Amino acid sequence: MAPASGELASRGFVAALVVGVAVTTTANNFAGRIKAMIMGNYNFVTVVPDSILQLLFYSAALAVQYWRGRVDKTQLNYLFGCARRFGQCSGWIFLVGASINDVAGQVTGLASQPYLTTFMMSLMDQATTPFTVVFSMLLLGIRYIPLEWAGIV
């Protein structure tokens, strides 16, 4: 039986996203290498404006998803809510921990970029996905099947 037209469109969209990620990641690595050559040992100072831009982008994306109804008020309350005791805090504490680790990774990555080839920097960037999967397993208690692990590797 042939797939429905909606399923084909969905597959095409996913394929376009995969190609988009591959192209933009490669362009980002080459642009980062150029920036590393210009900035030299002070390449890591660009983390601050990068982090501000990411915060603005992700906040806008969250606002759009809330406006479209894909994120509801109970989800936002869980994410940003907190009780009087630390042990009763909800998702924001995990979000803060993940953010600190993300910025630390950016600082160390950008500090090492002047000393690495573009290929080695790409390999370092690819290590993000397995670490994100391990973090999601610890945080969310998700268990992955062997096929998903093969896709990660």
Side-chain angles (χ1 to χ4, degrees):
M1 177 175 198
S5 64
E7 188 178 330
L8 286 175
S10 177
R11 287 182 185 173
F13 181 69
V14 170
L17 287 176
V18 168
V19 169
V21 166
V23 169
T24 56
T25 301
T26 303
N28 184 44
N29 286 334
F30 280 106
R33 185 68 184 152
I34 293 168
K35 180 178 67 172
M37 289 170 48
I38 294 170
M39 300 285 292
N41 293 336
Y42 300 101
N43 191 32
F44 64 91
V45 298
T46 60
V47 167
V48 174
D50 285 350
S51 296
I52 291 170
L53 287 173
Q54 285 180 1
L55 174 67
L56 294 174
F57 177 80
Y58 291 135
S59 297
L62 179 62
V64 167
Q65 294 302 319
Y66 180 74
W67 178 71
R68 292 179 75 185
R70 293 187 177 165
V71 174
D72 63 13
K73 192 168 182 126
T74 58
Q75 292 171 319
L76 290 179
N77 286 339
Y78 171 75
L79 182 61
F80 297 114
C82 188
R84 292 182 184 258
R85 293 186 324 154
F86 181 76
Q88 294 175 336
C89 290
S90 55
W92 74 269
I93 197 72
F94 299 114
L95 186 65
V96 168
S99 301
I100 290 170
N101 287 321
D102 182 50
V103 171
Q106 287 183 13
V107 169
T108 56
L110 289 173
S112 67
Q113 198 169 24
Y115 309 103
L116 298 173
T117 65
T118 305
F119 178 71
M120 285 302 295
M121 193 64 193
S122 293
L123 286 176
M124 286 178 49
D125 285 341
Q126 290 174 3
T128 303
T129 303
F131 287 119
T132 303
V133 168
V134 170
F135 185 74
S136 73
M137 288 175 59
L138 295 173
L139 180 64
L140 303 173
I142 295 174
R143 298 184 185 195
Y144 294 98
I145 62 174
L147 180 62
E148 292 168 330
W149 278 108
I152 293 165
V153 174

